[in-house]
Amino acid sequence: MAMSCLETIQAYGLRSLGYGERLLPRDDFTLCQHFTLIGSGLIWNVYFGVLALLFGFFLANALALAKAAHSPWLRKPAEWFIFVFRGSPLFIQFFLAYELLVLLPKAGINVLGITIDTSWTTRAWAGALFVLFLNTAAYSAEIFHGALKSVPKGDVEAADAYGITGWSRFRRILWPTMLRLGWPAYTNEAIFLFHATTLVFFSGFPAFQQRGDALYYANYFADKTFNPFIPYPIVGFYFICLTLLLIWVFGLINRRLNRHLPSNLRGRIRLRPQLIR
Amino acid sequence: MKKMMLATAVLALTAGASLAQDVVRIGTEGAYEPYNYIDQATGELTGYEIELGNELCKRAELKCEFVQNAWDSIIPNLQSGNYDLIMAGMSITDERDQVIDFTQNYIPPASSAYVALSADVNVGEGAVVAAQTGTIQAGYVAESGATLLEFATPDETVAAVRNGEADAVFADKDYLAPIAADSNGELVVLANEVQLGGGVGIGLRETDTELKDKLNVAIQSMKDDGTLNTMIKKWFGEEAQTF
Amino acid sequence: MFEYCADPSQLSGLTWLSCYLTTGTHFNFYRSFVTVLMLLAVTAPVALAFGFGGAMAARSHVTPLSLLGRGYIAAVRGVPDIVYFLFFVIALDQGIEWTKHLFVCDDLSQPVWNGTEFRVCPAAKVPLATSSAIWHSAYAFALAVFTFALVFGAFAANVLYGAMQAVPKAQLETAEAYGMTPRQVFRRILVPQMWVYALPGLSNLWLILIKATPLLFLLGIQDIVYWARELGSAKTSGNNPYPHGDWRVFYFLALLVFYLAFTRVSEIVLARLTRRLSHGQATLGGEQLRKAGA
């Protein structure tokens, strides 16, 4: 009863989300099954990567500004936050976060008579996303902070000369320039964040109903076939594709950020890791 | 300085005259009390399988040493030739038998058991059951209709029951029983035991037939003179299943 | 360790703790810090050498060499390091033994790969089956260093490549005008100048390398995370002199402190190094130093 590849894709294409065949393949492993299931797991890597990046971007901006602030009440907490998250391995952050989250009362927290359910926080989709969000925010904040410090003095002086001040000076002069300068390094951060998502099920959060990411399924196959040379390179292949896609998307944004510059000055995106994980 | 380089904990035991004889290396996990674990006081490998392995090597006139390897890659590393035997509480299953060979078992087909916070917990449809990734128990839970929650190490599976993450943990009874006994009634072993696998045997490469024969003879001699049963009782308690 | 530790079950409080923290397992834990530091100390220069080679290859005018360099950088950077660690060491190990097999074995008629089983003649084993455990450990350590260096070498290559491009063209042209050969320009002008541009990237790489060490256990090295896990996991009273519950959280907190402290010290040292390298450089940093000194 060998399944055709199309049937395999129908059965396992969305397995990582809990749809399709409930039991994972147990014998007669085919290459098609490898590619389908590992590809299915990649959905989670994309989910973690995209959402953490999206939320992290906003927090990173706030943190970068706080770190550049004069008031120590803003600056110190931001500096500490960035130091702790950049200074420790993500893997330990996952572990400690998980340990903290399981301490929340299972029955839920009672706030003003309304019971808030807490059990979902230990699930990877929420807990790991939260850690990745904080982690990438810290790394990106450092990048943006560095970029903010290197905004050309002339730009700011020109803004002053035109009478552009306060919020509008920030929004129209400082912030776009900061993004433009920090963008190549931010692209690297994005790549590394996507790579870091493979740690979620590997050493952080438990896999629920055998729903995991690309590495989880690769591990499953390596475990069943006792052959690591097929599943792990497949994960590598998927990630190279993902990285290329990411570089392309960030390149497009980079072009837009630099569109006002004369074409010979427009720096092509240079993948020089300024600040990477 | 040499001691520092010694990243892999190794227990060497010479049997008979130590000629320039090939060393038979035995891979083990070192994290599965009382099968194989790290002695808390000395920091060295110990456990039922370590004592048994050394005794078997003595009887088969082999020079053996133990090496630690993570459970995940314990079979690929055997096949790659990084060690020659596996003694890591590994149950004999059809799946594994297809790629490696096993000697006759040195622990009878063992019971797997559920451990939960109370005796009346449901472990079937709708329950969340924790198990270690890549064990026969994990495969069993996945097919039982319960929701499988997988962890990389056995202690995490027990911790998951304690903190309420999982309703029960499913593992070898010999591993769970001492933990439950130690918990002051917090954890209980459920009555529905399951027999899985064909007992625990020594795993080796399919081409190592000569080594397999030697070990089979040694295991048989220990079964015959009763020393194997004595050793099982020493490590697993008086009620343990024997041959 | 201490006299009074003979029967731990009779102890309590601080005496118990003093005995507990000096068990053999704990000494293994303390020693594993040295293992990790040693691995970092060995890996960093090797990775830098790989990076230098990669960057030079990528800059080469010979197309195949340049493609090789770029391919190496792109392929390693595109894939999460953990994925490499999961299969690369076994592949490397088999590759070494297979190469040796071709040279030292007499009977080459038997297939080396038989299904998933890998078999070479006993003489081709690395290290030989008769060698003592020390050599096995040293070999595992060397494989780990090589794998780490290969992965981080690709990142270093990327940084150095960028740094080489960042050295002002005018300086290189001036050197050529003075009649230096391309080799001399590279050795005397480009390499000494590029470090200041490479340092920020390399500093980050160092910090990343520190934080990648928890993956060491995948490579068969018992590192601090392995021992923290082993020590912290719950111990039953049957076979263990110091039974305790799940204490992993305390051990991981200790690791957190270690990593933070190590990062902080590295940051301070690297900041000093940057300052020194900036002296006399035609950069903003160098200009500031010049003004401060004047």
Side-chain angles (χ1 to χ4, degrees):
Chain A
M1 47 149 269
M3 279 201 256
S4 78
C5 195
L6 198 68
E7 282 168 343
T8 305
I9 294 175
Q10 280 170 348
Y12 292 115
L14 293 174
R15 178 60 181 80
S16 64
L17 303 179
Y19 298 105
E21 205 63 32
R22 193 171 66 85
L23 290 179
L24 298 183
R26 303 195 61 78
D27 37 33
D28 301 327
F29 301 99
T30 62
L31 260 188
C32 179
Q33 287 172 342
H34 277 77
F35 271 101
T36 309
L37 260 178
I38 293 173
S40 160
L42 203 66
I43 297 172
W44 280 113
N45 296 101
V46 172
Y47 162 87
F48 286 123
V50 168
L51 288 188
L53 214 53
L54 188 71
F55 298 140
F57 179 78
F58 293 102
L59 182 59
N61 276 297
L63 282 168
L65 286 183
K67 193 176 173 179
H70 288 294
S71 155
W73 292 101
L74 279 174
R75 200 178 67 235
K76 284 288 165 197
E79 275 175 0
W80 271 99
F81 179 88
I82 294 172
F83 173 63
V84 168
F85 276 91
R86 286 184 72 231
S88 59
L90 178 62
F91 151 81
I92 289 183
Q93 293 168 20
F94 272 138
F95 175 85
L96 291 176
Y98 181 73
E99 291 292 309
L100 282 178
L101 289 172
V102 292
L103 289 181
L104 293 176
K106 285 287 138 188
I109 300 170
N110 200 328
V111 181
L112 303 171
I114 304 159
T115 311
I116 299 172
D117 187 29
T118 58
S119 59
W120 53 271
T121 54
T122 53
R123 295 270 173 261
W125 68 263
L129 179 63
F130 186 63
V131 176
L132 285 168
F133 152 65
L134 296 180
N135 186 280
T136 187
Y139 277 90
S140 315
E142 187 66 25
I143 293 169
F144 291 147
H145 175 73
L148 195 62
K149 290 267 142 174
S150 26
V151 170
K153 212 169 74 175
D155 286 20
V156 187
E157 285 167 355
D160 288 340
Y162 278 105
I164 307 175
T165 51
W167 171 245
S168 81
R169 186 181 77 168
F170 173 76
R171 198 178 62 83
R172 294 173 59 183
I173 311 290
L174 280 175
W175 191 69
T177 314
M178 173 189 94
L179 272 192
R180 191 165 61 79
L181 294 177
W183 203 255
Y186 189 60
T187 308
N188 276 309
E189 161 55 22
I191 295 173
F192 283 96
L193 176 71
F194 271 85
H195 288 184
T197 58
T198 52
L199 281 175
V200 169
F201 294 102
F202 197 78
S203 62
F205 286 74
F208 182 70
Q209 278 185 333
Q210 296 184 307
R211 300 177 199 172
D213 74 329
L215 190 64
Y216 171 84
Y217 288 116
N219 210 18
Y220 176 83
F221 281 117
D223 207 69
K224 294 289 173 202
T225 61
F226 308 105
N227 181 359
F229 299 123
I230 295 171
Y232 295 128
I234 292 177
V235 180
F237 164 77
Y238 274 126
F239 265 92
I240 289 180
C241 296
L242 195 62
T243 308
L244 289 177
L245 183 72
L246 211 60
I247 290 176
W248 180 69
V249 171
F250 274 69
L252 285 185
I253 302 175
N254 191 48
R255 278 238 299 277
R256 193 178 153 74
L257 287 172
N258 285 300
R259 70 188 184 285
H260 60 287
L261 294 179
S263 61
N264 59 343
L265 277 182
R266 243 178 245 172
R268 281 210 305 136
I269 196 153
R270 280 238 301 284
L271 291 172
R272 197 164 74 198
Q274 292 293 327
L275 293 152
I276 41 184
R277 196 175 305 276
Chain B
M1 203 61 186
K2 272 181 182 169
K3 185 87 187 181
M4 288 165 187
M5 288 288 282
L6 199 68
T8 358
V10 167
L11 255 184
L13 193 121
T14 42
S18 57
L19 304 163
Q21 194 187 359
D22 276 9
V23 181
V24 175
R25 290 159 54 82
I26 310 176
T28 193
E29 189 193 6
Y32 205 53
E33 196 187 330
Y35 293 79
N36 54 76
Y37 63 101
I38 304 289
D39 185 279
Q40 208 186 10
T42 63
E44 279 168 357
L45 273 174
T46 184
Y48 166 70
E49 282 168 327
I50 313 301
E51 191 183 336
L52 176 70
N54 286 327
E55 175 64 24
L56 287 175
C57 288
K58 202 152 96 191
R59 291 187 182 215
E61 297 188 340
L62 299 166
K63 193 179 164 194
C64 294
E65 66 186 25
F66 275 91
V67 251
Q68 247 182 296
N69 198 91
W71 177 254
D72 274 345
S73 59
I74 207 160
I75 289 181
N77 272 309
L78 172 79
Q79 293 193 306
S80 188
N82 289 338
Y83 36 78
D84 312 291
L85 303 174
I86 297 177
M87 291 182 79
M90 186 178 276
S91 301
I92 303 168
T93 63
D94 292 342
E95 231 169 37
R96 291 177 182 140
D97 217 3
Q98 280 170 13
V99 285
I100 59 170
D101 235 348
F102 283 100
T103 60
Q104 60 167 306
N105 54 13
Y106 56 78
I107 294 179
S111 309
S112 299
Y114 291 95
V115 156
L117 292 176
S118 71
D120 53 354
V121 162
N122 159 41
V123 290
E125 201 81 41
V128 178
V129 178
Q132 188 185 4
T133 314
T135 55
I136 44 173
Q137 285 88 4
Y140 178 83
V141 174
E143 288 179 4
S144 74
T147 297
L148 172 62
L149 193 64
E150 285 171 287
F151 292 87
T153 60
D155 353 273
E156 284 168 299
T157 59
V158 179
V161 176
R162 283 214 163 92
N163 65 38
E165 184 78 11
D167 298 327
V169 45
F170 188 54
D172 280 331
K173 193 186 171 195
D174 291 327
Y175 171 74
L176 292 174
I179 297 175
D182 234 34
S183 68
N184 293 327
E186 187 196 359
L187 297 171
V188 280
V189 182
L190 304 192
N192 48 344
E193 291 174 10
V194 187
Q195 304 287 332
L196 292 177
V200 175
I202 305 177
L204 29 67
R205 285 181 293 270
E206 280 179 330
T207 43
D208 279 342
T209 45
E210 199 186 324
L211 192 59
K212 182 180 163 184
D213 294 341
K214 275 189 193 170
L215 289 166
N216 268 333
V217 170
I219 296 174
Q220 195 55 50
S221 81
M222 286 188 71
K223 281 184 178 170
D224 292 343
D225 66 13
T227 43
L228 191 63
N229 284 345
T230 320
M231 212 181 268
I232 291 177
K233 281 191 180 145
K234 175 187 165 191
W235 288 98
F236 296 99
E238 284 300 320
E239 289 102 77
Q241 273 181 312
T242 54
F243 287 100
Chain C
M1 174 139 187
F2 304 111
E3 290 284 316
Y4 57 83
C5 294
D7 186 7
S9 59
Q10 300 304 314
L11 302 172
S12 63
L14 277 179
T15 27
W16 185 89
L17 195 66
S18 71
C19 289
Y20 175 70
L21 290 178
T22 52
T23 55
T25 349
H26 274 90
F27 276 108
N28 283 341
F29 179 49
Y30 306 143
R31 264 199 296 273
S32 66
F33 282 88
V34 181
T35 309
V36 166
L37 292 178
M38 209 159 68
L39 185 116
L40 283 172
V42 179
T43 308
V46 180
L48 204 58
F50 272 62
F52 206 79
M56 269 170 64
R59 266 176 63 89
S60 167
H61 293 298
V62 188
T63 316
L65 200 61
S66 158
L67 282 179
L68 191 77
R70 285 163 201 270
Y72 163 59
I73 298 177
V76 176
R77 284 186 67 233
V79 178
D81 47 5
I82 186 174
V83 174
Y84 271 102
F85 294 159
L86 283 170
F87 75 94
F88 187 77
V89 172
I90 298 184
L92 183 66
D93 182 31
Q94 293 192 353
I96 291 172
E97 291 188 354
W98 180 70
T99 317
K100 198 177 168 196
H101 171 85
L102 294 182
F103 287 101
V104 301
C105 296
D106 301 323
D107 180 19
L108 293 180
S109 61
Q110 296 297 317
V112 171
W113 281 277
N114 188 359
T116 47
E117 190 176 317
F118 174 81
R119 194 166 188 86
V120 291
C121 69
K125 295 295 286 170
V126 181
L128 293 172
T130 47
S131 23
S132 64
I134 300 285
W135 288 110
H136 285 278
S137 307
Y139 179 63
F141 192 82
L143 285 184
V145 167
F146 183 83
T147 313
F148 253 73
L150 192 77
V151 170
F152 283 89
F155 295 113
N158 197 14
V159 173
L160 293 179
Y161 181 77
M164 287 178 187
Q165 303 288 60
V167 173
K169 282 273 181 299
Q171 298 206 13
L172 305 181
E173 283 160 7
T174 311
E176 269 178 53
Y178 273 101
M180 288 192 192
T181 62
R183 188 178 288 255
Q184 282 175 325
V185 175
F186 181 76
R187 263 211 344 264
R188 297 191 190 166
I189 310 294
L190 186 67
V191 173
Q193 296 272 29
M194 75 173 188
W195 293 113
V196 70
Y197 299 100
L199 201 66
L202 291 180
S203 322
N204 277 302
L205 214 48
W206 169 250
L207 296 181
I208 295 156
L209 184 64
I210 295 173
K211 279 167 277 165
T213 50
L215 298 177
L216 271 175
F217 188 56
L218 293 178
L219 305 182
I221 305 287
Q222 287 173 353
D223 68 325
I224 46 181
V225 176
Y226 166 79
W227 283 112
R229 241 198 202 143
E230 166 62 33
L231 287 162
S233 64
K235 298 278 182 283
T236 57
S237 56
N239 298 309
N240 298 298
Y242 304 92
H244 60 72
D246 186 352
W247 283 2
R248 282 176 305 162
V249 78
F250 303 113
Y251 284 94
F252 277 78
L253 280 173
L255 289 191
L256 183 75
V257 171
F258 167 74
Y259 277 110
L260 288 179
F262 198 15
T263 303
R264 190 78 201 109
V265 170
S266 300
E267 277 178 355
I268 292 169
V269 172
L270 288 167
R272 285 208 184 144
L273 199 63
T274 311
R275 229 179 107 83
R276 278 187 65 162
L277 280 180
S278 296
H279 266 294
Q281 286 285 356
T283 60
L284 214 62
E287 179 66 10
Q288 276 169 358
L289 284 173
R290 193 181 65 80
K291 279 184 185 153

